[in-house]
Amino acid sequence: DVGEIYSRLLDHRPVIQGEIRYFVKEFEEKRGLRELRVLENLKSTIFETNEHVLPKCEQAMRDNLNEAFRRLQAANGMIQRLQEREHEERKVK
């Protein structure tokens, strides 16, 4: 009798465990679906980026870098010619 009275009055573990199970179940069901939708959206965004956006960016980068390299080569050639002229002018003086 004393054990049963103690159990009913002071041992709240069964009640708390039941509440915890209920909370976890509700949390997983409600939040789980929301998290699944978020992950699916993220997956589709990553797929879209990998398949379409990234190749476009790479091509644009290649085009722009090639153009910049071409311009730098032209500028370098001009600077070399100027230096040669200056060098020739110094020789003459």
Side-chain angles (χ1 to χ4, degrees), residues 7-87:
S7 173
R8 288 182 178 221
L9 291 177
L10 301 175
D11 189 11
H12 300 294
R13 282 180 282 171
V15 174
I16 292 172
Q17 288 174 349
E19 288 295 318
I20 290 172
R21 277 190 226 106
Y22 174 77
F23 175 79
V24 168
K25 180 182 170 192
E26 288 292 310
F27 182 80
E28 286 176 347
E29 287 176 0
K30 291 178 182 174
R31 184 173 176 125
L33 295 176
R34 186 173 61 227
E35 296 297 324
L36 183 61
R37 285 191 300 270
V38 168
L39 288 174
E40 287 173 353
N41 290 340
L42 185 60
K43 178 184 169 186
S44 66
T45 301
I46 290 171
F47 178 78
E48 176 73 22
T49 301
N50 284 337
E51 294 296 316
H52 303 289
V53 176
L54 189 59
K56 288 179 185 177
C57 289
E58 286 176 343
Q59 186 60 42
M61 182 184 66
R62 270 192 222 103
D63 294 344
N64 290 332
L65 284 176
N66 286 335
E67 178 65 20
F69 183 69
R70 188 184 61 76
R71 289 182 180 191
L72 284 172
Q73 284 180 323
N76 192 30
M78 294 169 76
I79 289 171
Q80 285 177 348
R81 286 191 295 275
L82 285 173
Q83 286 177 337
E84 288 173 4
R85 285 183 197 163
E86 282 183 12
H87 184 68

